Amino acid sequence: MSVENRIREYILENYLFTNDQSMLGSDDSFLQKNILDSTGMLEVIYFLEDEFGIKVQDEEMVPENLDSVNRIAAFLGKKGVTA
Amino acid sequence: MCGIAGIVNLTANAPITEHDLGRMAVMLDHRGPDDRSTLCGDMFGFAHTRLSIIDLAGGRQPIHNEDSTVWVVFNGEIFNYIELRELLLSKGHRFYTHTDTEVIVHLYEEYGDDFVRHLNGQFAIALWDTVRRRLLLVRDRPGILPLFYSVNEGRLFFASEMKSILAGTRQSPRIDTLALDQIMTFWSVLPPRTLFQGIETLAPGEMMVVENGVCRKHRYWDWSFTQPGDYAVGSEAELAGQLRELLLDATIIRLRSDVPVGAYLSGGLDSSILAGLIDGIGDIKLRTFSITFPGSDLDESVYQEQVIEQLSSEHSRVVCTPENIADEFIKTLWHTEAPILRTAPVPMGILSGLVRSQGYKVVLTGEGADEVFGGYDIFKEAKIRQFWARKPDSRLRPMLLKRLYPYLDLSKDQAQGYLQSFFGIGLDNPQLAYFSHLPRWVTTAKCKAFYSSDLHDSLREDPYAALAATLPDAIGGWATFNRAQYIESKTLMSGYLLSSQGDRMLMKNSIEGRFPYLDHRVIEFANRLDPRLKMKVLQEKYLLKRSMQDRVPRAILERHKQPYRAPDADSFRNAARAGYVDELLDPGYVRGCGYFDPQKVSLLKKKLDKGLIGSAKDNMALIGILSTQALHKLFIDDYSANIGQYAERRLQDQDNNVQEVCHVG
């Protein structure tokens, strides 16, 4: 499964409680669409660290890196994670 | 306290039997384990289960007047009964008991329906006038004690708890989905609605008159606030002195009892003040009770110890673990008769069990102080949000919220975005009567994402509109702070804190709670105050603290308010321990009940099993769904075992050896 799909599946299952792929677009903002609150954002960071073996630095915890499936995928790419 | 129940023929003619009344009474045995009695008239019948507290030998109910033309069954306490008795004796009334109950019948003779205005107390009353052939049902002002009713086949049934009515009507209930939707918004159901279709509740401060087959209700008391400009006059010191005197009297009359009275001690300000007040009264030996959550950041025992040390009270504590919560969860719902969104009621039921085990029947509690004196963060949030609403594009104004939530790191864009999206709700209409509550309600309503499509489609009423319809006209003229207090007292306080987390958890173990902060004189005094004396800048309960500063340890006065919480989802992770979780959340069962979407619930359950439920939103959804499913099982699927046949068996068993059976599976 691609990195993008693993992220999408995680968000769909754990925050939208569905397997329906059409419920989450790759560029949908988690914050603007009220999919994640601040606790949810921390949980996502835990997930990324556990699942992909990376460490997210404090200064990296910004919406530019974390606020959509595509942004997370690009962020992981920069960290050297590829499918 | 006690349990009351009864039946009145409206259009039906069939005689009311002892058996009918007995079936209703046995469902209330936990409210009154000391005695059970019934009274049958030609068109009415009363039942009573008694917890003996005043006039232990002579207080058997129903109680009547001199010529037996007025009869009453009563749950609660009239704390000013000594003064009322003297007044009534001076007017020529004769008493045959030393109960507080008896003042009710004589007051009714003297003042008619206005008798209730003379009562200082907590009460649910049913009074039958044999001459005018009319029934009065009355509920106390703030809504401490419950009173439900239902019209069924030409008869009015009433009772302290709905399970008693369900035993009387012999019909299993259906869940009212609009009520469910209100709980998933406000945490409580708006009166007269209840969780069950066809059963209604009297609102706090309401009286029902049943006469000639017709039921009419009216509000005899309500929270009312002074308009800006007319607030109570006096220096801070004078007002603090008046408050102290009033609260002392409210506490003293709540110590009237023929059995010893104890007190809950949370470690917070409100219960510490009460303990301090009692400690200063005569030679009363303070007896206190508390609950602790070892190893949890919800534990407040450090603060409890400080108060105990200062007051040298004899103290008992009970430990509550997540396992205890899982063990007691289903039984708790049997008592709440309403879904809950947090497990917080469960430990309160464990605490009342501790009180019972120590041989006490009565406790004072600090409940109500936050609503009366403005202690909740929601009042602070509203104050900041209103300040922000004047300049919605300000980046600095919402920073004040950081003082409320120090753990939010507002230097980050992410946190700023979160604040905007959460506390910014409703910023475009700060004059809305329920402006203060929108962030909480919008968060709670996220539970609705789990509704089944059938439930979604069946909901035809907007909960906000239903709430708006209950608000008094005067509310528009009140300060925002006071509007928030009104809404809080009518939703969360009376509909949840005083019932699911209050009366029901006390009565689960036959314990009577008494609430000095909810003495109507205290409420009326506080409601005349300038809101700035309740919250000075962002200091909550300012005047209350000032009036009591010498009676409470400084650390308690200065600590940041911690809302009472208990472990939520964590309690249910060990599925082997709480086997009912699998059963209640099983996709087939969820589909059959019809309220929630089976797939979404399964994914939530998966998250629970992995230990990934962390957010408030997921916790509320899990507890809300689990409790709704459990209530369906207890009251609908298992109606016969838990109520229909159970009442019959218990009634026949003279030794009362039939145990309550409210288990699932």
Side-chain angles (χ1 to χ4, degrees):
Chain A
M1 197 188 295
S2 70
V3 169
E4 189 192 320
N5 279 346
R6 275 155 79 188
I7 299 163
R8 188 197 315 282
E9 186 183 273
Y10 172 78
I11 300 288
L12 281 170
E13 276 206 2
N14 288 286
Y15 300 95
L16 293 166
F17 301 98
T18 177
N19 295 321
D20 180 353
Q21 302 285 321
S22 70
M23 296 298 287
L24 183 65
S26 298
D27 290 313
D28 286 352
S29 159
F30 301 149
L31 289 172
Q32 277 173 18
K33 294 213 156 190
N34 280 322
I35 295 167
L36 294 181
D37 57 15
S38 59
T39 317
M41 198 55 101
L42 286 178
E43 289 170 358
V44 169
I45 292 167
Y46 282 132
F47 165 75
L48 297 177
E49 293 187 341
D50 290 349
E51 183 82 7
F52 300 104
I54 57 157
K55 280 272 166 261
V56 180
Q57 305 302 320
D58 281 358
E59 58 275 17
E60 292 172 332
M61 293 182 197
V62 290
E64 290 70 42
N65 289 336
L66 300 167
D67 196 35
S68 70
V69 172
N70 276 345
R71 285 181 182 192
I72 292 179
F75 172 61
L76 289 175
K78 277 193 287 182
K79 294 277 228 184
V81 177
T82 52
Chain B
M1 291 226 246
C2 306
I4 63 171
I7 307 172
V8 172
N9 277 337
L10 300 174
T11 54
N13 289 316
I16 294 155
T17 66
E18 294 278 349
H19 186 80
D20 291 335
L21 294 166
R23 280 179 61 91
M24 296 182 77
V26 295
M27 299 311 294
L28 301 173
D29 278 349
H30 56 282
R31 299 186 70 90
D34 298 333
D35 191 16
R36 189 198 298 152
S37 54
T38 53
L39 171 74
C40 264
D42 54 346
M43 59 182 286
F44 85 105
F46 282 172
H48 186 255
T49 60
R50 184 173 184 222
L51 180 65
S52 314
I53 287 169
I54 292 176
D55 192 355
L56 306 183
R60 191 158 216 248
Q61 295 191 26
I63 294 278
H64 57 81
N65 63 341
E66 293 91 339
D67 58 1
S68 301
T69 54
V70 180
W71 292 82
V72 72
V73 279
F74 158 62
N75 165 209
E77 299 294 340
I78 309 300
F79 297 116
N80 61 340
Y81 77 102
I82 293 173
E83 293 77 10
L84 289 173
R85 185 185 169 96
E86 280 168 17
L87 171 82
L88 290 160
L89 283 170
S90 75
K91 289 178 180 287
H93 292 272
R94 284 174 289 114
F95 284 73
Y96 73 101
T97 72
H98 288 88
T99 60
D100 54 335
T101 313
E102 196 178 350
V103 301
I104 297 171
V105 290
H106 299 299
L107 273 178
Y108 174 75
E109 291 181 289
E110 199 63 38
Y111 301 107
D113 296 359
D114 277 343
F115 82 93
V116 66
R117 297 181 191 283
H118 297 261
L119 304 178
N120 183 337
Q122 53 197 46
F123 43 81
I125 298 170
L127 179 148
W128 179 260
D129 178 335
T130 63
V131 177
R132 297 172 66 188
R133 299 172 76 78
R134 67 203 294 262
L135 172 80
L136 297 186
L137 294 178
V138 193
R139 202 171 162 213
D140 64 61
R141 297 174 182 88
I144 295 168
L145 296 182
L147 188 50
F148 299 95
Y149 59 92
S150 177
V151 175
N152 188 286
E153 297 179 355
R155 286 176 158 184
L156 176 81
F157 295 79
F158 65 87
S160 300
E161 296 185 18
M162 293 195 277
K163 52 182 72 71
S164 171
I165 291 177
L166 295 170
T169 60
R170 297 167 194 254
Q171 288 167 3
S172 80
R174 291 168 61 111
I175 286 185
D176 178 340
T177 52
L178 285 176
L180 185 60
D181 194 49
Q182 289 180 358
I183 286 187
M184 300 291 177
T185 311
F186 310 126
W187 291 51
S188 62
V189 186
L190 304 174
R193 206 176 276 284
T194 70
L195 182 67
F196 297 136
Q197 288 180 21
I199 301 184
E200 298 196 334
T201 175
L202 259 75
E206 211 169 43
M207 175 184 286
M208 179 191 267
V209 182
V210 184
E211 208 165 11
N212 302 320
V214 179
C215 307
R216 283 176 292 112
K217 286 188 294 185
H218 70 274
R219 184 75 54 91
Y220 69 86
W221 186 89
D222 199 2
W223 293 62
S224 176
F225 293 85
T226 302
Q227 302 276 339
D230 294 329
Y231 296 128
V233 182
S235 68
E236 274 184 21
E238 285 164 356
L239 292 169
Q242 288 169 23
L243 171 57
R244 185 182 172 113
E245 209 167 296
L246 195 50
L247 201 53
L248 182 62
D249 189 62
T251 306
I252 288 174
I253 63 172
R254 278 166 182 75
L255 294 170
R256 290 175 170 175
S257 168
D258 293 337
V259 297
V261 178
Y264 279 172
L265 198 61
S266 71
L269 179 72
D270 311 327
S271 59
S272 302
I273 287 176
L274 291 184
L277 278 173
I278 299 168
D279 194 51
I281 300 169
D283 55 356
I284 291 178
K285 178 75 188 142
L286 191 58
R287 186 73 174 83
T288 50
F289 304 91
S290 71
I291 193 145
T292 61
F293 301 101
S296 163
D297 54 3
L298 306 171
D299 189 66
E300 297 186 74
S301 40
V302 173
Y303 295 102
Q304 293 164 5
E305 297 303 328
Q306 287 171 353
V307 180
I308 295 159
E309 196 173 316
Q310 171 158 339
L311 303 175
S312 64
S313 73
E314 186 189 345
H315 186 76
S316 300
R317 52 184 72 76
V318 64
V319 163
C320 179
T321 64
E323 289 75 22
N324 296 145
I325 290 176
D327 288 347
E328 285 294 310
F329 186 69
I330 299 295
K331 189 145 194 186
T332 298
L333 292 161
W334 171 249
H335 288 277
T336 63
E337 301 182 329
I340 53 180
L341 301 177
R342 279 189 182 155
T343 61
V346 185
M348 296 307 290
I350 294 172
L351 181 56
S352 69
L354 169 71
V355 176
R356 189 79 191 168
S357 73
Q358 297 298 307
Y360 275 68
K361 288 181 175 179
V362 185
V363 284
L364 264 56
T365 99
E367 202 68 75
D370 284 320
E371 292 80 1
V372 175
F373 293 103
Y376 286 124
D377 282 347
I378 200 168
F379 300 130
K380 286 188 192 175
E381 283 166 20
K383 197 166 175 175
I384 296 168
R385 287 168 59 240
Q386 197 168 46
F387 176 63
W388 181 10
R390 291 197 210 153
K391 199 168 178 300
D393 56 351
S394 165
R395 279 179 70 85
L396 290 177
R397 292 184 180 219
M399 293 292 182
L400 281 169
L401 288 162
K402 190 174 178 175
R403 290 178 55 173
L404 278 183
Y405 304 101
Y407 54 87
L408 283 180
D409 184 353
L410 299 183
S411 62
K412 301 229 167 74
D413 281 358
Q414 173 205 327
Q416 183 76 18
Y418 169 65
L419 276 182
Q420 292 280 1
S421 66
F422 182 69
F423 293 107
I425 295 164
L427 226 53
D428 53 336
N429 190 4
Q431 286 310 308
L432 196 65
Y434 45 82
F435 169 79
S436 53
H437 283 64
L438 283 174
R440 182 201 286 166
W441 293 346
V442 169
T443 307
T444 305
K446 291 185 194 288
C447 297
K448 300 181 188 187
F450 290 89
Y451 284 177
S452 67
S453 50
D454 282 353
L455 180 61
H456 264 300
D457 295 346
S458 74
L459 298 171
R460 304 252 178 269
E461 189 179 81
D462 170 27
Y464 291 174
L467 176 86
T470 68
L471 299 177
D473 295 339
I475 198 169
W478 298 343
T480 306
F481 192 89
N482 292 339
R483 290 182 206 160
Q485 282 187 280
Y486 185 89
I487 307 250
E488 188 71 356
S489 71
K490 290 310 185 78
T491 52
L492 196 78
M493 186 187 85
S494 60
Y496 168 75
L497 291 173
L498 292 179
S499 56
S500 290
Q501 200 170 299
D503 171 80
R504 305 313 187 83
M505 289 305 101
L506 290 154
M507 281 289 114
K508 181 169 179 270
N509 290 300
S510 319
I511 297 298
E512 172 174 298
R514 296 181 174 186
F515 306 80
Y517 294 107
L518 293 175
D519 183 309
H520 69 280
R521 297 168 306 165
V522 175
I523 298 176
E524 288 169 359
F525 174 84
N527 291 0
R528 287 193 296 273
L529 293 172
D530 186 331
R532 280 176 294 187
L533 287 176
K534 294 176 192 164
M535 184 172 297
K536 196 159 195 177
V537 193
L538 290 178
Q539 269 189 71
E540 79 274 6
K541 292 187 283 199
Y542 171 77
L543 196 70
L544 179 64
K545 285 178 181 167
R546 175 163 178 163
S547 73
M548 295 293 168
Q549 54 197 356
D550 60 325
R551 302 237 48 103
V552 182
R554 178 160 289 278
I556 303 275
L557 279 174
E558 289 175 354
R559 68 179 287 209
H560 184 80
K561 182 174 170 55
Q562 174 172 337
Y564 161 70
R565 293 275 310 265
D568 286 317
D570 285 349
S571 309
F572 301 102
R573 268 193 73 190
N574 189 344
R577 179 107 193 161
Y580 56 82
V581 177
D582 286 339
E583 182 188 346
L584 294 173
L585 301 185
D586 172 74
Y589 189 62
V590 171
R591 187 175 297 109
C593 293
Y595 313 117
F596 302 106
D597 180 305
Q599 192 206 13
K600 287 185 174 174
V601 172
S602 289
L603 289 169
L604 185 67
K605 172 75 167 43
K606 193 170 152 190
K607 206 169 170 180
L608 170 71
D609 292 339
K610 286 187 188 163
L612 291 175
I613 290 193
S615 69
K617 184 175 74 169
D618 287 354
N619 269 299
M620 273 196 281
L622 177 78
I623 309 300
I625 292 167
L626 198 56
S627 59
T628 304
Q629 293 289 107
L631 286 160
H632 184 96
K633 176 94 175 138
L634 285 169
F635 286 88
I636 298 174
D637 291 352
D638 296 345
Y639 169 81
S640 185
N642 288 345
I643 299 174
Q645 291 174 13
Y646 169 80
E648 211 62 40
R649 281 206 321 278
R650 185 154 177 114
L651 195 54
Q652 284 164 11
D653 182 352
Q654 292 304 316
D655 299 328
N656 284 339
N657 282 330
V658 179
Q659 296 295 310
E660 277 189 24
V661 285
C662 60
H663 61 268
V664 171

Short mmCIF file of all heavy atoms in Angstrom, two decimals, chain B residues 278-308:
data_model
loop_
_atom_site.label_atom_id
_atom_site.label_comp_id
_atom_site.label_asym_id
_atom_site.label_seq_id
_atom_site.Cartn_x
_atom_site.Cartn_y
_atom_site.Cartn_z
N ILE B 278 -19.41 23.66 58.73
CA ILE B 278 -19.94 22.69 59.70
C ILE B 278 -19.01 22.60 60.90
O ILE B 278 -19.45 22.56 62.05
CB ILE B 278 -20.08 21.29 59.06
CG1 ILE B 278 -21.05 21.33 57.89
CG2 ILE B 278 -20.57 20.27 60.10
CD1 ILE B 278 -21.02 20.07 57.03
N ASP B 279 -17.72 22.61 60.61
CA ASP B 279 -16.72 22.50 61.67
C ASP B 279 -16.85 23.63 62.69
O ASP B 279 -16.56 23.45 63.87
CB ASP B 279 -15.32 22.51 61.04
CG ASP B 279 -14.27 22.05 62.01
OD1 ASP B 279 -14.46 20.99 62.61
OD2 ASP B 279 -13.26 22.77 62.18
N GLY B 280 -17.32 24.78 62.21
CA GLY B 280 -17.43 25.93 63.11
C GLY B 280 -18.74 25.97 63.88
O GLY B 280 -18.97 26.89 64.67
N ILE B 281 -19.63 25.03 63.64
CA ILE B 281 -20.94 25.06 64.29
C ILE B 281 -20.91 24.21 65.56
O ILE B 281 -20.75 22.99 65.49
CB ILE B 281 -22.04 24.51 63.36
CG1 ILE B 281 -22.14 25.36 62.08
CG2 ILE B 281 -23.39 24.49 64.09
CD1 ILE B 281 -23.01 24.73 61.01
N GLY B 282 -21.07 24.84 66.70
CA GLY B 282 -21.23 24.15 67.98
C GLY B 282 -20.27 23.00 68.19
O GLY B 282 -19.09 23.09 67.89
N ASP B 283 -20.80 21.87 68.66
CA ASP B 283 -19.93 20.75 68.99
C ASP B 283 -20.09 19.60 67.98
O ASP B 283 -19.92 18.45 68.31
CB ASP B 283 -20.23 20.24 70.41
CG ASP B 283 -21.70 19.89 70.57
OD1 ASP B 283 -22.46 20.13 69.61
OD2 ASP B 283 -22.07 19.39 71.64
N ILE B 284 -20.44 19.97 66.76
CA ILE B 284 -20.61 18.93 65.74
C ILE B 284 -19.27 18.32 65.36
O ILE B 284 -18.31 19.03 65.07
CB ILE B 284 -21.30 19.50 64.48
CG1 ILE B 284 -22.75 19.85 64.80
CG2 ILE B 284 -21.24 18.49 63.33
CD1 ILE B 284 -23.49 20.47 63.66
N LYS B 285 -19.22 17.00 65.41
CA LYS B 285 -18.00 16.29 65.00
C LYS B 285 -18.13 16.01 63.50
O LYS B 285 -19.03 15.32 63.05
CB LYS B 285 -17.90 14.98 65.79
CG LYS B 285 -16.71 14.12 65.41
CD LYS B 285 -15.41 14.68 65.96
CE LYS B 285 -14.22 13.90 65.41
NZ LYS B 285 -13.08 14.75 65.11
N LEU B 286 -17.18 16.59 62.76
CA LEU B 286 -17.26 16.49 61.31
C LEU B 286 -16.93 15.07 60.83
O LEU B 286 -15.96 14.47 61.25
CB LEU B 286 -16.27 17.48 60.71
CG LEU B 286 -16.34 17.75 59.23
CD1 LEU B 286 -17.70 18.26 58.81
CD2 LEU B 286 -15.26 18.76 58.84
N ARG B 287 -17.78 14.56 59.93
CA ARG B 287 -17.57 13.22 59.36
C ARG B 287 -17.58 13.38 57.85
O ARG B 287 -18.57 13.84 57.28
CB ARG B 287 -18.71 12.31 59.82
CG ARG B 287 -18.55 10.86 59.43
CD ARG B 287 -17.47 10.20 60.26
NE ARG B 287 -17.41 8.76 60.00
CZ ARG B 287 -16.74 8.21 58.98
NH1 ARG B 287 -16.11 8.97 58.13
NH2 ARG B 287 -16.73 6.90 58.83
N THR B 288 -16.49 13.03 57.18
CA THR B 288 -16.39 13.31 55.75
C THR B 288 -16.06 12.05 54.94
O THR B 288 -15.52 11.08 55.47
CB THR B 288 -15.29 14.37 55.47
OG1 THR B 288 -14.10 13.98 56.15
CG2 THR B 288 -15.72 15.74 55.96
N PHE B 289 -16.37 12.12 53.65
CA PHE B 289 -16.21 10.98 52.74
C PHE B 289 -15.66 11.47 51.40
O PHE B 289 -16.06 12.52 50.90
CB PHE B 289 -17.57 10.31 52.48
CG PHE B 289 -18.27 9.88 53.74
CD1 PHE B 289 -19.16 10.73 54.39
CD2 PHE B 289 -18.03 8.62 54.28
CE1 PHE B 289 -19.80 10.33 55.56
CE2 PHE B 289 -18.67 8.21 55.45
CZ PHE B 289 -19.56 9.07 56.09
N SER B 290 -14.74 10.69 50.84
CA SER B 290 -14.21 11.10 49.54
C SER B 290 -13.86 9.90 48.68
O SER B 290 -13.77 8.76 49.16
CB SER B 290 -12.97 11.97 49.71
OG SER B 290 -11.89 11.18 50.17
N ILE B 291 -13.65 10.19 47.40
CA ILE B 291 -13.27 9.16 46.44
C ILE B 291 -11.89 9.51 45.89
O ILE B 291 -11.57 10.68 45.70
CB ILE B 291 -14.33 9.05 45.34
CG1 ILE B 291 -14.13 7.79 44.52
CG2 ILE B 291 -14.34 10.26 44.43
CD1 ILE B 291 -15.42 7.19 44.08
N THR B 292 -11.07 8.49 45.65
CA THR B 292 -9.74 8.75 45.08
C THR B 292 -9.51 7.87 43.86
O THR B 292 -10.07 6.77 43.75
CB THR B 292 -8.62 8.46 46.11
OG1 THR B 292 -8.68 7.08 46.46
CG2 THR B 292 -8.79 9.28 47.36
N PHE B 293 -8.72 8.40 42.92
CA PHE B 293 -8.37 7.67 41.70
C PHE B 293 -6.85 7.47 41.70
O PHE B 293 -6.12 8.29 41.13
CB PHE B 293 -8.78 8.45 40.46
CG PHE B 293 -10.25 8.74 40.38
CD1 PHE B 293 -10.75 9.99 40.73
CD2 PHE B 293 -11.14 7.77 39.94
CE1 PHE B 293 -12.12 10.26 40.65
CE2 PHE B 293 -12.49 8.03 39.87
CZ PHE B 293 -12.98 9.28 40.22
N PRO B 294 -6.36 6.42 42.36
CA PRO B 294 -4.90 6.28 42.52
C PRO B 294 -4.18 6.23 41.18
O PRO B 294 -4.65 5.58 40.24
CB PRO B 294 -4.75 4.94 43.25
CG PRO B 294 -6.10 4.60 43.75
CD PRO B 294 -7.09 5.29 42.89
N GLY B 295 -3.07 6.94 41.11
CA GLY B 295 -2.24 6.89 39.92
C GLY B 295 -2.80 7.63 38.73
O GLY B 295 -2.26 7.58 37.64
N SER B 296 -3.92 8.33 38.92
CA SER B 296 -4.53 9.05 37.80
C SER B 296 -4.36 10.54 38.01
O SER B 296 -4.36 11.03 39.14
CB SER B 296 -6.03 8.70 37.75
OG SER B 296 -6.71 9.65 36.96
N ASP B 297 -4.24 11.30 36.91
CA ASP B 297 -4.14 12.75 37.09
C ASP B 297 -5.49 13.36 37.46
O ASP B 297 -5.62 14.56 37.65
CB ASP B 297 -3.54 13.42 35.84
CG ASP B 297 -4.29 13.06 34.57
OD1 ASP B 297 -5.31 12.35 34.68
OD2 ASP B 297 -3.87 13.50 33.50
N LEU B 298 -6.52 12.52 37.55
CA LEU B 298 -7.83 13.01 37.98
C LEU B 298 -7.95 12.96 39.50
O LEU B 298 -8.93 13.41 40.08
CB LEU B 298 -8.94 12.15 37.37
CG LEU B 298 -8.91 12.01 35.84
CD1 LEU B 298 -9.91 10.96 35.37
CD2 LEU B 298 -9.21 13.34 35.18
N ASP B 299 -6.96 12.39 40.17
CA ASP B 299 -7.02 12.22 41.62
C ASP B 299 -6.83 13.55 42.34
O ASP B 299 -5.99 14.36 41.97
CB ASP B 299 -5.91 11.25 42.05
CG ASP B 299 -6.05 10.86 43.50
OD1 ASP B 299 -7.05 10.19 43.82
OD2 ASP B 299 -5.19 11.24 44.31
N GLU B 300 -7.64 13.79 43.39
CA GLU B 300 -7.56 15.05 44.12
C GLU B 300 -7.25 14.83 45.59
O GLU B 300 -7.51 15.69 46.43
CB GLU B 300 -8.89 15.82 43.99
CG GLU B 300 -9.21 16.24 42.56
CD GLU B 300 -10.45 17.12 42.48
OE1 GLU B 300 -10.39 18.31 42.85
OE2 GLU B 300 -11.50 16.62 42.04
N SER B 301 -6.68 13.65 45.92
CA SER B 301 -6.53 13.34 47.35
C SER B 301 -5.55 14.27 48.07
O SER B 301 -5.70 14.50 49.26
CB SER B 301 -6.17 11.87 47.57
OG SER B 301 -5.27 11.42 46.63
N VAL B 302 -4.58 14.84 47.35
CA VAL B 302 -3.65 15.78 47.99
C VAL B 302 -4.43 16.93 48.62
O VAL B 302 -4.19 17.32 49.77
CB VAL B 302 -2.65 16.34 46.95
CG1 VAL B 302 -1.79 17.43 47.56
CG2 VAL B 302 -1.79 15.22 46.40
N TYR B 303 -5.39 17.44 47.87
CA TYR B 303 -6.19 18.57 48.38
C TYR B 303 -7.16 18.12 49.47
O TYR B 303 -7.41 18.83 50.43
CB TYR B 303 -6.94 19.23 47.22
CG TYR B 303 -6.01 19.86 46.21
CD1 TYR B 303 -5.72 19.24 45.01
CD2 TYR B 303 -5.37 21.07 46.50
CE1 TYR B 303 -4.85 19.80 44.09
CE2 TYR B 303 -4.49 21.64 45.59
CZ TYR B 303 -4.23 21.00 44.39
OH TYR B 303 -3.36 21.57 43.50
N GLN B 304 -7.69 16.91 49.30
CA GLN B 304 -8.59 16.38 50.34
C GLN B 304 -7.85 16.31 51.68
O GLN B 304 -8.37 16.71 52.72
CB GLN B 304 -9.10 14.99 49.95
CG GLN B 304 -10.03 15.00 48.73
CD GLN B 304 -10.20 13.62 48.11
OE1 GLN B 304 -9.71 12.62 48.61
NE2 GLN B 304 -10.92 13.58 46.99
N GLU B 305 -6.60 15.82 51.63
CA GLU B 305 -5.82 15.67 52.86
C GLU B 305 -5.60 17.01 53.56
O GLU B 305 -5.61 17.11 54.78
CB GLU B 305 -4.46 15.01 52.58
CG GLU B 305 -4.54 13.59 52.03
CD GLU B 305 -5.30 12.62 52.93
OE1 GLU B 305 -5.27 12.79 54.16
OE2 GLU B 305 -5.94 11.70 52.38
N GLN B 306 -5.39 18.07 52.76
CA GLN B 306 -5.16 19.39 53.35
C GLN B 306 -6.37 19.85 54.16
O GLN B 306 -6.23 20.42 55.24
CB GLN B 306 -4.85 20.42 52.25
CG GLN B 306 -3.46 20.23 51.65
CD GLN B 306 -3.24 21.10 50.43
OE1 GLN B 306 -4.15 21.76 49.94
NE2 GLN B 306 -2.02 21.11 49.94
N VAL B 307 -7.55 19.60 53.62
CA VAL B 307 -8.77 20.02 54.33
C VAL B 307 -8.97 19.17 55.58
O VAL B 307 -9.29 19.68 56.66
CB VAL B 307 -10.00 19.92 53.41
CG1 VAL B 307 -11.26 20.37 54.14
CG2 VAL B 307 -9.80 20.76 52.16
N ILE B 308 -8.76 17.86 55.43
CA ILE B 308 -8.94 16.95 56.56
C ILE B 308 -8.01 17.35 57.71
O ILE B 308 -8.40 17.39 58.88
CB ILE B 308 -8.66 15.49 56.13
CG1 ILE B 308 -9.70 15.05 55.11
CG2 ILE B 308 -8.67 14.56 57.33
CD1 ILE B 308 -9.26 13.86 54.26
#
